[in-house]
Amino acid sequence: MSASEVQTFTPREFHRQAHDALGNPQIRANFRKAMDGLMAKRRDVFSDWDLETLRELGANIRLRALAKLPDLLERLEANCQANGIQVHWAENGDEACRIIRGICERHGAKAVIKGKSMVSEEMHLNAHLEAAGIEALESDLGEYLVQLNEQTPSHIIMPAIHLNTDEISDIMHTRTGTERTRDVDYMTAAARAQLRERFMAADVGVSGVNFAVAETGTLCLVENEGNGRMTTAVPPVHIAVTGIEKVVEHLRDVPPLYALLTRSATGQHVTTYFNMISSPRKPGEHDGPNEVHLVLVDSGRSNIYQDDELLDTLRCIRCGACMNHCPVYTRVGGHTYGTTYPGPIGSILMPHMMGLEATKDLPTASSLCGACGEVCPVKIPIPDLLVRLRREAVGEGRGNVPGAGVKRTKKEVAAWKGFQWLATHPGAWRSSTAIAGKLQALMPSKLGPWTEYRTAPKPAKVSLHAMVKRHQAGKSDEDGGKRS
């Protein structure tokens, strides 16, 4: 089956989908070429840097922000509102969709143009708006292509990485009438021309947020194509949507994280555009939206926050490096996981959003080689968290994950207990992998150094979930101020 054919994927069918992907030479070739290139670029761009010091700095910035998260969210809201940005709180994706739809309907919007936003993918925002009679068009080139092909992104940074040049040409010819060609410049120019008029006609622009600065009430947006700037500046209304974990304390925290993000994601020193949005259009300014809205989305994040180990998941800056280096993801691709966030980061994040009962196979979609933990720019101990979620899935954890304790067969429990024992006994592990190698099984040769960094802060005593619900309901805080 061609990679460009429309398929339906679900995390419950991970093993079958992985088997199908492994048997698809086109998908294997597409991902192998792309992942090799991305790994090489990352290696080269960090060659002159003290990478471990920078990673340590990035990890500490994220840990500090998480340790103060309830307070920082309050400061972010206050400073955004002082700047003229309207702030809304959503307990889950459905509530966030209703908030965004309500803003669109108040302005009589019929057309929405979207910049890249994984949170909007997580919320299924496009389908929600279309059901309300509001057209939602993706403007990121990769997102535009997968939308044309009625697919979902297969990578959090490069949504159409599963498609090769010929498949992209076929999609554009079939959906937009362009010529079939292998000329990448021609296809890019055609897509740009198609999108440019849609920017001008859009009633509302929707974007994501890479970093939300509590100190200044600034929303930072990282991009390469200029579509993010067009989305946030051309339509009369801009709606930014983000998970509650994206907040950082100070503006000075952004440059180290930005340096790590661009180099880890695409091997670039800097991206072509870095947008800082602090207010709607002011009197005398000639461009920019008349209104800016910020939608802060929980969707299970406050539950993660209450666990001092799983809290590390929220450090993520969405660079995709763990995917690029994962021996499972690079062979089966992102769609195989059947979730918004695939790869190692998806395997530790999606169980909190969808429940372990639906995603029980994702934490096992790893060889525990440690590559994901070694390349993570903010030092998330992903292998540790995968093991923790495996225990939760069979009822041996703390029970802090939705759907924990899913019943498995005695054979499954015995198999995973055996694997756990092997993974903690290097001699037995080496012997078993030597035997497995003769059977041509794909097993790691040694354990990775992922267990050294354990400095996650304790969760706050304040219930972040309760705070989000309070704000979402529009209740007043001690100052009596009205909240959105």
Side-chain angles (χ1 to χ4, degrees):
M1 181 176 288
S2 168
S4 60
E5 290 184 84
V6 178
Q7 302 175 62
T8 301
F9 298 91
T10 169
R12 294 182 184 274
E13 296 291 330
F14 174 80
H15 289 298
R16 178 187 60 78
Q17 290 157 187
H19 183 271
D20 292 345
L22 289 171
N24 188 324
Q26 190 62 70
I27 290 179
R28 295 287 299 274
N30 291 355
F31 274 92
R32 184 72 276 163
K33 179 180 179 181
M35 297 298 106
D36 284 349
L38 288 168
M39 287 190 287
K41 287 180 180 179
R42 177 190 177 275
R43 181 185 62 245
D44 293 343
V45 80
F46 277 123
S47 60
D48 297 329
W49 285 67
D50 184 349
L51 177 55
E52 288 310 303
T53 298
L54 185 60
R55 290 179 69 218
E56 191 74 24
L57 175 59
N60 287 334
I61 289 172
R62 292 299 296 132
L63 287 167
R64 171 163 43 85
L66 291 174
K68 302 179 180 180
L69 187 56
D71 290 338
L72 293 185
L73 287 168
E74 298 273 5
R75 287 177 58 191
L76 175 68
E77 180 189 41
N79 287 324
C80 282
Q81 290 179 333
N83 293 341
I85 297 174
Q86 300 178 50
V87 181
H88 311 263
W89 297 72
E91 185 178 353
N92 52 48
D94 288 341
E95 181 64 27
C97 285
R98 289 193 292 270
I99 290 170
I100 294 172
R101 184 189 66 198
I103 296 169
C104 291
E105 289 176 343
R106 285 198 297 275
H107 289 273
K110 296 299 182 183
V112 168
I113 193 81
K114 290 180 69 250
K116 192 170 185 306
S117 167
M118 291 307 298
V119 174
S120 73
E121 292 284 347
E122 172 190 320
M123 294 157 40
H124 306 293
L125 177 62
N126 290 5
H128 186 94
L129 292 177
E130 288 168 6
I134 302 170
E135 179 191 39
L137 182 69
E138 299 288 349
S139 64
D140 174 87
L141 182 56
E143 293 270 5
Y144 179 58
L145 290 170
V146 297
Q147 185 180 32
L148 286 177
N149 205 38
E150 300 178 9
Q151 290 182 308
T152 56
S154 59
H155 192 285
I156 64 173
I157 297 297
M158 292 147 288
I161 201 168
H162 58 288
L163 301 171
N164 61 30
T165 303
D166 291 327
E167 290 167 333
I168 291 171
S169 177
D170 184 62
I171 292 168
M172 293 193 65
H173 172 76
T174 303
R175 300 291 185 174
T176 69
T178 57
E179 297 178 10
R180 280 193 170 91
T181 177
R182 302 195 87 253
D183 186 339
V184 175
D185 291 337
Y186 165 78
M187 289 188 285
T188 302
R192 182 179 292 118
Q194 294 161 11
L195 289 168
R196 182 56 61 94
E197 61 185 51
R198 306 298 287 274
F199 283 116
M200 306 307 295
D203 303 301
V204 172
V206 175
S207 77
V209 177
N210 290 100
F211 311 110
V213 185
E215 177 183 43
T216 59
T218 302
L219 312 178
C220 300
L221 187 60
V222 179
E223 54 150 339
N224 273 313
E225 299 172 16
N227 65 296
R229 185 162 296 181
M230 294 284 284
T231 296
T232 60
V234 175
V237 178
H238 169 216
I239 304 173
V241 57
T242 185
I244 57 176
E245 81 280 14
K246 289 293 187 72
V247 66
V248 295
E249 185 172 8
H250 301 295
L251 193 60
R252 66 173 180 267
D253 293 335
V254 173
L257 295 177
Y258 178 53
L260 284 164
L261 173 60
T262 57
R263 288 166 173 80
S264 298
T266 56
Q268 294 174 277
H269 291 283
V270 294
T271 49
T272 310
Y273 297 89
F274 182 78
N275 306 296
M276 301 175 71
I277 301 161
S278 294
S279 73
R281 183 191 302 191
K282 296 178 180 178
E285 293 182 338
H286 299 292
D287 59 11
N290 298 319
E291 288 185 15
V292 178
H293 297 260
L294 172 63
V295 181
L296 295 166
V297 184
D298 184 346
S299 286
R301 291 164 172 84
S302 61
N303 290 329
I304 301 173
Y305 188 77
Q306 301 305 318
D307 189 296
D308 60 356
E309 183 177 23
L310 298 174
L311 172 66
D312 287 336
T313 306
L314 299 180
R315 291 192 220 172
C316 180
I317 59 174
R318 304 295 192 270
C319 69
C322 61
M323 301 178 193
N324 304 342
H325 292 74
C326 175
V328 177
Y329 175 90
T330 56
R331 286 164 175 81
V332 301
H335 287 150
T336 296
Y337 293 79
T339 55
T340 302
Y341 303 97
I345 187 61
S347 295
I348 64 173
L349 179 60
M350 294 310 298
H352 301 280
M353 296 183 175
M354 300 178 68
L356 264 172
E357 185 175 0
T359 60
K360 61 184 176 65
D361 291 326
L362 299 189
T364 68
S366 170
S367 65
L368 295 183
C369 66
C372 52
E374 292 174 9
V375 301
C376 176
V378 289
K379 304 187 77 167
I380 301 173
I382 298 176
D384 277 351
L385 300 182
L386 289 170
V387 172
R388 163 71 186 279
L389 288 171
R390 291 180 183 186
R391 292 187 180 126
E392 295 285 353
V394 296
E396 294 184 355
R398 304 182 196 174
N400 294 348
V401 184
V406 177
K407 291 184 178 180
R408 289 182 179 268
T409 66
K410 292 181 179 180
K411 287 184 178 180
E412 288 178 316
V413 173
W416 287 116
K417 284 187 174 181
F419 185 85
Q420 179 184 357
W421 184 87
L422 283 173
T424 54
H425 292 77
W429 179 270
R430 283 192 290 269
S431 299
S432 65
T433 53
I435 296 171
K438 295 179 181 179
L439 299 175
Q440 297 182 338
L442 295 174
M443 299 289 285
S445 61
K446 59 180 180 180
L447 293 176
W450 56 75
T451 59
E452 300 299 323
Y453 192 73
R454 298 298 323 140
T455 58
K458 297 284 186 181
K461 292 181 180 179
V462 176
S463 171
L464 185 61
H465 179 67
M467 187 188 77
V468 171
K469 290 194 70 173
R470 184 181 74 241
H471 282 264
Q472 185 272 332
K475 295 180 180 178
S476 60
D477 204 355
E478 293 180 359
D479 60 3
K482 184 178 180 181
R483 302 194 181 273
S484 298

